[in-house]
Amino acid sequence: MQTLSCLFRRYNSSRRTYQHRLNCWLRFCGDAVPTTEDFARFRNAATKAGLSPTTIETTINDICCILRAVGEAVPARGRPLRRPAPATTQPTLADIERVYLVADQAKEPTTIPHEVRPGWWRGLLCLSLWTGFRINDLRELRWSDVFSDRIERVANKTGKRHVIPVTHDIRRNLDTIPKRGETVFQLPRGSVRFARRELKRLCELAGVANFGFQQIRRASITEWSSVNSDAGSTIHGTGLGVRRYYVEPYKVLCRAAEGFSLPNAMRDPDQQQHRRAIVCRLVEAAGRLSEPDISRLIRTAESW
């Protein structure tokens, strides 16, 4: 008599992940080949045990994948549990700026010399916010991908080609990163967990809620989308749909870059002073304008 475990041994792809799902299933429903009634029984038992709806439904999906892969009939799954909406928690620009300012207290990664580690962290935080790249894409980013006016990178996860403009402020932060090899950040795969741990420590030092690189990516996409929805879609990687045949994404990003709210600490101090002087002159001029003129001035300032 065939058992679910026997069927599983014939299915070797992604074995570790599916082994975990199989163990979860065996815990509640045993080793018999599943039926529709078993799916309902698994949902009830797993819910009482405190498993989340997402874990329960993912387990059922993976069990069905195992059956389908070895040519077994897949029974009806029954009514799925309602899954909660994914969390969209993300740091504010002020939170990221506070962490950026305490980068000189970073202790890891130890592979980066102490004297250049603050610049390494500031460059990582700035590029993470500006490009919206995942941490593994940043880890594998090469200096050959970085040009005077742009960064080009094919995303590991999606295979999408990204071309991100490089402004004066981004170039300034890039220049703080020590050039010690072919890759920009010289971060081995096994060291990513240390970078995540150190980012958590820097958040505590800065007095802000803990956030990770994924949350910075969310903040990046939010900021780009606030300027231009097409820019946000381009950074995310979902693309422009059929309009990709008509719209140049790099030009969209170049225009949106003018309105991107980069934290002040990441900006050139000379340019900050110049901006403040312009704002002061605008405030003085606004006092002599009519209300419609002030409204037009505000719209112009917001687009700038």
Side-chain angles (χ1 to χ4, degrees), residues 39-264:
F39 289 146
R41 185 157 57 92
F42 174 77
R43 287 188 176 98
N44 291 332
T47 300
K48 291 179 181 178
L51 273 64
S52 70
T54 299
T55 299
I56 294 170
E57 294 304 324
T58 301
T59 299
I60 291 175
N61 288 343
D62 288 347
I63 293 299
C64 291
C65 285
I66 296 172
L67 296 174
R68 192 179 301 110
V70 296
E72 290 291 320
V74 178
R77 303 184 189 187
R79 185 175 181 177
L81 299 175
R82 183 184 296 274
R83 304 190 193 191
T88 57
T89 55
Q90 55 189 255
T92 64
L93 293 181
D95 289 342
I96 297 173
E97 183 174 28
R98 291 191 186 100
V99 175
Y100 182 91
L101 291 172
V102 300
D104 56 342
Q105 302 182 51
K107 297 180 179 179
E108 293 188 32
T110 55
T111 53
I112 306 299
H114 173 73
E115 61 274 11
V116 295
R117 199 176 298 148
W120 184 92
W121 265 105
R122 289 182 179 123
L124 179 61
L125 289 169
C126 181
L127 276 192
S128 182
L129 176 63
W130 181 256
T131 64
F133 286 170
R134 298 175 179 86
I135 183 58
N136 280 325
D137 287 315
L138 288 169
R139 186 182 65 82
E140 297 182 10
L141 184 68
R142 295 176 174 271
W143 287 112
S144 58
D145 299 329
V146 180
F147 300 88
S148 60
D149 60 340
R150 68 194 185 281
I151 296 173
E152 296 185 7
R153 171 74 189 168
V154 176
N156 288 336
K157 182 176 180 179
T158 63
K160 298 274 187 178
R161 179 174 175 268
H162 293 270
V163 183
I164 314 294
V166 171
T167 64
H168 171 78
D169 292 320
I170 302 305
R171 170 56 61 183
R172 175 175 167 272
N173 282 272
L174 275 168
D175 290 341
T176 67
I177 304 171
K179 294 185 178 181
R180 304 172 60 245
E182 292 183 358
T183 58
V184 174
F185 293 105
Q186 292 292 294
L187 188 65
R189 178 180 293 275
S191 297
V192 170
R193 68 181 186 276
F194 298 117
R196 289 193 175 103
R197 183 177 65 186
E198 183 65 5
L199 178 56
K200 179 179 178 180
R201 192 182 74 86
L202 292 176
C203 287
E204 293 172 354
L205 287 174
V208 302
N210 291 334
F211 59 83
F213 294 105
Q214 174 64 21
Q215 284 71 40
I216 299 178
R217 171 171 160 80
R218 292 175 184 172
S220 170
I221 295 170
T222 296
E223 290 305 316
W224 284 104
S225 299
S226 299
V227 181
N228 185 312
S229 60
D230 287 344
S233 298
T234 300
I235 293 294
H236 179 266
T238 51
L240 304 175
V242 70
R243 288 188 298 127
R244 68 185 184 275
Y245 297 109
Y246 303 91
V247 177
E248 173 53 53
Y250 177 65
K251 187 173 182 179
V252 171
L253 291 180
C254 287
R255 183 65 61 85
E258 300 172 3
F260 188 93
S261 298
L262 199 66
N264 287 332

